[in-house]
Amino acid sequence: TWLLLPISLLYPDAIIGSLVAFVTVWIVSMRKEVSVPGVFAYAVVEGLMLGAWSKIFEYMYPGIVVQAVIGTFVAAFVVLGAYKFLGARVRGRLAQIVVVSIIAYAVMSLLNLILIFAGVNLGWATIGANAGPLSWLSAGLGVVLAAASLLMDFEAIEVGVRGGAPESESWRGAFGLLVTMVWLYTTLLRILSFFRN
């Protein structure tokens, strides 16, 4: 997508890819057994969507993609360090709050997208230096929820390995990490755009 897609197709690819990825995440997540083809389908759709969004951001704010990639991996390693060495965990009631908050965040983002198509902009996902308080709040909340989700992913993987979970469960762990890392990356892209003109 980054190399071959014409500029005129970047926005349609990014928007359609985002919607398809959103639906694919819910389908794969809700299944009792891990769907390996579903995980692959998600990875392909996510790759097409991320390539388009990244190229759009890079055209608007040169150099932002490299910063967001570095920021994503630094944040992930910091969360991993907090998990491994500081014992940071998201369990019990806090885990329930995080899951409900992630669902509410996803629903709000989808509602915002539908309203944008209808000509109404709430400011939930605005980018650039003109982003208002609601955009700052949604982006900050996105990073916090993504970090909490990473902690939950790390623990689920560790518990699965320790408990001798079937090898097929490794796909669930990989899928969870991929979804969370993509969310963290796109949120960091937005936050970095707030400081660009």
Side-chain angles (χ1 to χ4, degrees), residues 183-196:
W183 182 21
L184 185 58
Y185 167 74
T186 55
T187 305
L188 287 177
L189 264 180
R190 282 185 55 218
I191 290 173
L192 288 169
S193 81
F194 298 161
F195 301 97
R196 304 296 274 287

Side-chain angles (χ1 to χ4, degrees), residues 24-131:
T24 309
V25 162
W26 289 105
I27 290 171
V28 173
S29 298
M30 295 302 159
R31 290 181 56 112
K32 196 170 189 170
E33 296 200 11
V34 182
S35 169
V36 175
V39 173
F40 272 104
Y42 171 78
V44 168
V45 168
E46 203 64 60
L48 294 171
M49 181 271 294
L50 270 184
W53 280 124
S54 296
K55 192 69 167 186
I56 290 166
F57 272 80
E58 190 67 23
Y59 274 127
M60 294 183 347
Y61 312 108
I64 197 169
V65 168
V66 170
Q67 293 174 338
V69 168
I70 291 169
T72 300
F73 282 101
V74 167
F77 281 114
V78 167
V79 172
L80 178 61
Y83 175 81
K84 191 75 177 162
F85 302 112
L86 300 178
R89 301 289 187 271
V90 177
R91 294 181 177 148
R93 174 147 331 274
L94 180 58
Q96 292 172 343
I97 291 169
V98 167
V99 169
V100 169
S101 298
I102 289 170
I103 292 169
Y105 189 95
V107 168
M108 181 61 192
S109 297
L110 184 61
L111 177 64
N112 183 71
L113 183 62
I114 292 167
L115 288 173
I116 286 174
F117 286 137
V120 178
N121 186 355
L122 299 176
W124 177 260
T126 304
I127 62 169
N130 295 327

Side-chain angles (χ1 to χ4, degrees), residues 106-160:
V107 168
M108 181 61 192
S109 297
L110 184 61
L111 177 64
N112 183 71
L113 183 62
I114 292 167
L115 288 173
I116 286 174
F117 286 137
V120 178
N121 186 355
L122 299 176
W124 177 260
T126 304
I127 62 169
N130 295 327
L134 190 57
S135 286
W136 279 86
L137 177 67
S138 72
L141 182 61
V143 168
V144 169
L145 290 174
S149 184
L150 272 177
L151 287 172
M152 292 167 68
D153 292 337
F154 293 150
E155 185 166 20
I157 291 168
E158 185 177 34
V159 166

